[in-house]
Amino acid sequence: MARYVDGFVIPVPKKNVALYRKIARKPGKIWMEHGALQYVECVGDDLDQGKLLTPFPRAARTKPGETVIFSFIVYRSRAHRDRVDARVMKAPRLAKLGALGTPFESKRMVYGGFRTLVDL
């Protein structure tokens, strides 16, 4: 079954990973309550700095002391994503999360929406 995925790559200072986890649980709950099928936040573990392929740290332009967070939210379709996001953006709890700030430089986050090509 085809799905739609919003994906994110975020360089985060290693010292802020625990704080990131704590903060990320809150919007994750909001997205799930409003209909997202899955909400996943992953922290870099095997980020080989090889030369043949482009590793995430190089692609994310991490600075010394940073790691990469790879996140994704799964929906039934793009239309479903649009409906869920519209509800999430109206959620009062989401507005309150802005006051917590972010444990990374927001302008360095990379994101996009993706149609699934293969879903086994």
Side-chain angles (χ1 to χ4, degrees):
M1 175 187 290
R3 306 273 185 196
Y4 196 81
V5 176
D6 278 341
F8 308 86
V9 176
I10 310 165
V12 175
K14 291 177 183 176
K15 67 181 183 177
N16 291 349
V17 169
L19 176 60
Y20 181 93
R21 176 186 294 131
K22 180 180 176 184
I23 292 172
R25 289 177 191 261
K26 295 174 185 197
K29 288 179 182 178
I30 296 170
W31 254 267
M32 294 299 293
E33 288 170 8
H34 286 85
L37 302 178
Q38 188 176 18
Y39 184 100
V40 179
E41 299 272 1
C42 309
V43 64
D45 179 56
D46 182 13
L47 301 176
D48 185 2
Q49 294 290 322
K51 295 184 185 203
L52 182 61
L53 302 172
T54 303
F56 270 99
R58 188 176 327 139
R61 297 184 177 167
T62 57
K63 298 175 182 175
E66 290 182 332
T67 190
V68 177
I69 299 288
F70 173 68
S71 308
F72 59 95
I73 308 170
V74 181
Y75 307 91
R76 285 190 293 273
S77 64
R78 183 173 179 177
H80 178 235
R81 187 275 309 260
D82 292 346
R83 288 191 305 273
V84 169
D85 279 1
R87 290 190 299 260
V88 167
M89 293 305 144
K90 292 178 185 174
R93 288 186 307 165
L94 187 67
K96 292 178 184 177
L97 291 179
L100 297 175
T102 56
F104 61 91
E105 293 177 52
S106 299
K107 65 183 177 186
R108 295 176 56 214
M109 178 174 71
V110 179
Y111 66 95
F114 299 84
R115 288 181 290 116
T116 55
L117 190 58
V118 176
D119 187 0
L120 303 176

